[in-house]
Amino acid sequence: MPGRRRRPTALVLGGGGARGLAHIGLLEVLDAHQLRPDMVVGTSIGAIVGAMYAQARDSRDLRTRMTAFLHSDFFTSMELQAFYRKRDKELFPFIEEWMREIRMRLQMTRVLTKRGVIPREILTTGLGMLIDDRSIEEFPIPFACVAMDALSGQVRILREGSAVQAVAASSSIPGIIEAENSATGYLIDGAVTAGAPVREAAALGARTTVAVDVSADLEWERLPEAAYEVMIRAGDIASAHCNREQLSDADLVLRPSVGRLHWAQFDDADSIIEAGRSEALAQLTRLRKHLAKT
């Protein structure tokens, strides 16, 4: 996937659920200043936003398209809000908490009896509302996304075939979204070990990498309330250490101020997008150094 520059530049968009909406704000700033990477490589939400951008070659309708999706009946029906607790602005806190606990218990029942809380068909249907399902090879900007083969433990770089299927594999949050066993393996969210796939971008020919890190802050503000929280916490810490190793190889790392948000906190979309814009503007001089046409 060579680029136009002597040192091809990859824009690496990291995973982080709702926090990854910050990628949209970043891309708006890049377009406003006529800065464009030679390739886009993403994981999870970074794969979703990256595919939307790479197939359109600009960011003009990303915010509109994503906002419409987040306000759609389809997205609401996924009930992702059940995975985090919002304790403020509640008219009847006790009732709200009780209903949340009921929803969470139903979700945990699926975790114990199914391969995922959300069937894969729901994910691919949703992605079809955001991404035109054509071959990745047809994208105007070279694009790849990263997934993890849960059977072999190997990273898979997906850069050809159906865009929706590739992005779905990269976005299959373990235990939350049902994965699919394909010819390339039993693929789950690439953010397990490649939260920001800088090394994968280098393997594709990038000589300069600009990474956007939207991972969660590691600090806990409270003690765990249940054993499953400790197990999830352990996995988060392991993924964070892998992500730091990846980011250490990047030429430039942008970190929007979204680390304290929950991955399912999509109701704060506008402020998250603006956090991406703010970080990009703050780093604009350095972005020009790596992304200006040469």
Side-chain angles (χ1 to χ4, degrees):
M1 297 172 67
R4 301 181 306 275
R5 299 173 178 82
R6 183 177 303 173
R7 292 178 57 82
T9 300
L11 178 63
V12 178
L13 303 179
R19 297 187 298 272
L21 298 176
H23 297 320
I24 295 174
L26 165 88
L27 290 167
E28 289 177 344
V29 172
L30 296 188
D31 273 0
H33 294 272
Q34 298 182 337
L35 303 174
R36 181 167 293 157
D38 295 306
M39 67 180 79
V40 177
V41 182
T43 292
S44 198
I45 185 68
I48 297 172
V49 176
M52 293 173 69
Y53 175 73
Q55 71 176 17
R57 207 178 180 181
D58 63 50
S59 64
R60 282 179 294 182
D61 71 336
L62 293 192
R63 184 190 291 247
T64 301
R65 197 167 183 176
M66 181 63 77
T67 300
F69 174 71
L70 295 178
H71 286 88
S72 68
D73 291 339
F74 177 86
F75 181 79
T76 301
S77 70
M78 295 175 69
E79 295 190 334
L80 292 180
Q81 70 274 14
F83 290 97
Y84 86 98
R85 300 178 176 182
K86 189 170 184 179
R87 298 180 181 275
D88 57 348
K89 299 181 180 179
E90 294 173 351
L91 184 59
F92 301 107
F94 172 78
I95 295 177
E96 292 289 340
E97 185 68 17
W98 179 60
M99 292 300 296
R100 254 195 303 270
E101 290 297 330
I102 290 176
R103 287 196 296 268
M104 182 57 72
R105 287 177 183 274
L106 290 173
Q107 304 287 28
M108 289 304 296
T109 298
R110 286 192 61 89
V111 168
L112 295 173
T113 60
K114 305 290 184 180
R115 289 183 175 176
V117 173
I118 300 173
R120 183 179 178 81
E121 293 75 16
I122 292 180
L123 173 62
T124 54
T125 298
L127 290 175
M129 299 169 67
L130 296 170
I131 302 167
D132 298 332
D133 192 17
R134 61 179 193 264
S135 294
I136 293 174
E137 301 95 312
E138 299 174 5
F139 283 14
I141 299 177
F143 169 77
C145 57
V146 176
M148 166 67 65
D149 182 356
L151 296 178
S152 68
Q154 298 297 310
V155 172
R156 300 287 187 237
I157 301 175
L158 309 176
R159 53 174 175 158
E160 59 185 20
S162 165
V164 165
Q165 294 301 322
V167 173
S170 181
S171 307
S172 295
I173 306 170
I176 304 301
I177 297 173
E178 182 183 10
E180 181 179 41
N181 194 20
S182 67
T184 52
Y186 188 67
L187 301 182
I188 60 174
D189 197 316
V192 172
T193 58
V198 174
R199 293 174 180 172
E200 286 70 25
L204 292 171
R207 294 296 173 265
T208 302
T209 49
V210 175
V212 187
D213 178 27
V214 290
S215 58
D217 293 345
L218 273 182
E219 293 81 6
W220 254 7
E221 297 179 350
R222 60 177 178 81
L223 291 173
E225 297 178 4
Y228 78 89
E229 288 187 305
V230 179
M231 291 186 286
I232 292 172
R233 172 66 170 172
D236 289 344
I237 292 172
S239 294
H241 282 285
C242 291
N243 195 41
R244 287 174 183 170
E245 290 296 313
Q246 289 268 4
L247 293 171
S248 67
D249 288 348
D251 296 280
L252 173 62
V253 179
L254 282 74
R255 292 185 171 90
S257 299
V258 295
R260 291 190 175 276
L261 298 178
H262 191 278
W263 68 265
Q265 206 165 337
F266 287 95
D267 52 356
D268 288 329
D270 288 337
S271 62
I272 297 172
I273 292 172
E274 288 306 313
R277 284 182 59 86
S278 297
E279 176 66 2
L281 290 170
Q283 299 275 11
L284 188 56
T285 299
R286 300 178 72 188
L287 284 167
R288 281 200 178 102
K289 174 183 175 182
H290 295 299
L291 296 174
K293 293 180 179 178
T294 58

